Amino acid sequence: MSYPETTVIRGIHYISGEPVAVTMKSGVISGIHREERTAGDELLPWLAPGFVDLQINGCRGLDFNTIPIAKGTTMQVTRALWEEGVTSYYPTVITNGDDAIEQAVRSIAGDCLEDPASEAGVAGIHLEGPFISPEDGPRGAHGQSHTKAPDWELFQRWQDA
C-alpha cells in the first residue's frame, strides 16, 4: 500500500472536543497536536481510536460460517466494518466439521493474502470451538456432533491453513 510522505488530518478530539491535527508520515501517525479554534470547526469530523471487534461471525449479509465462504467475503466485511469505525477485527469461525473449519480459515487467510486492507484489518481468526464441552448448558448453541477434546495436530493443520 502506497501512502503520501506526509498527511495532516484536522478533526475534533473525541474526548476533549477540541480541534486537533493528526500528522502521518508514510501512513503512520507521527504526532497529534491541539489547534486553535477557527470558524468552521463544527464541520470537522470527530477523530477517535478505531474499535477492535473480537468476534465477527459476519456483517451485512456476509457470513464466515456459510461453507464455502465466497471469495472476497473478508475484503467486503473489512471495508464495511471500517465504515462503522471498526479498524481491526477477528473473523469468527464456529464449531463445525474439521474440513469445514479448515476451508473457512483457508478462505479468510487467502483473502488477506490478496488484499492489503484485509490483511491490515484482520488481527487474527477467532476459532470458537470445536474444543469445548459436549454437555448441554456449557456447550451453548454449538452443535454437539462437532465438539471434541483438544487435538494439537488438528489445530496445527488449521494453523497451517
Side-chain angles (χ1 to χ4, degrees):
M1 193 175 284
S2 178
Y3 297 98
E5 188 173 321
T6 301
T7 303
V8 177
I9 299 172
R10 290 194 73 237
I12 302 299
H13 191 276
Y14 73 108
I15 292 177
S16 70
E18 298 294 322
V20 294
V22 178
T23 304
M24 296 186 298
K25 293 187 179 179
S26 301
V28 176
I29 294 174
S30 59
I32 301 174
H33 308 283
R34 185 174 178 273
E35 292 199 323
E36 296 300 318
R37 288 195 173 279
T38 61
D41 281 351
E42 66 277 359
L43 301 175
L44 290 173
W46 286 86
L47 300 179
F51 296 113
V52 176
D53 199 318
L54 304 178
Q55 180 174 346
I56 294 283
N57 295 87
C59 175
R60 296 186 184 169
L62 302 165
D63 187 2
F64 291 119
N65 294 286
T66 298
I67 306 301
I69 297 173
K71 186 169 178 57
T73 294
T74 309
M75 300 168 192
Q76 293 176 57
V77 168
T78 298
R79 285 158 179 80
L81 292 172
W82 283 357
E83 290 175 14
E84 304 299 329
V86 176
T87 56
S88 57
Y89 70 103
Y90 292 79
T92 299
V93 177
I94 62 171
T95 298
N96 204 334
D98 299 352
D99 292 338
I101 291 174
E102 182 174 348
Q103 191 278 334
V105 169
R106 191 174 301 281
S107 294
I108 295 164
D111 278 354
C112 290
L113 288 174
E114 289 185 28
D115 179 41
S118 293
E119 184 177 31
V122 172
I125 298 173
H126 173 200
L127 186 55
E128 188 178 75
F131 308 133
I132 58 176
S133 173
E135 295 179 21
D136 288 344
R139 187 181 73 254
H142 297 264
Q144 186 177 28
S145 63
H146 295 299
T147 62
K148 60 181 76 194
D151 180 331
W152 183 250
E153 288 181 20
L154 180 58
F155 177 78
Q156 285 299 113
R157 183 176 118 192
W158 294 334
Q159 183 71 30
D160 290 343

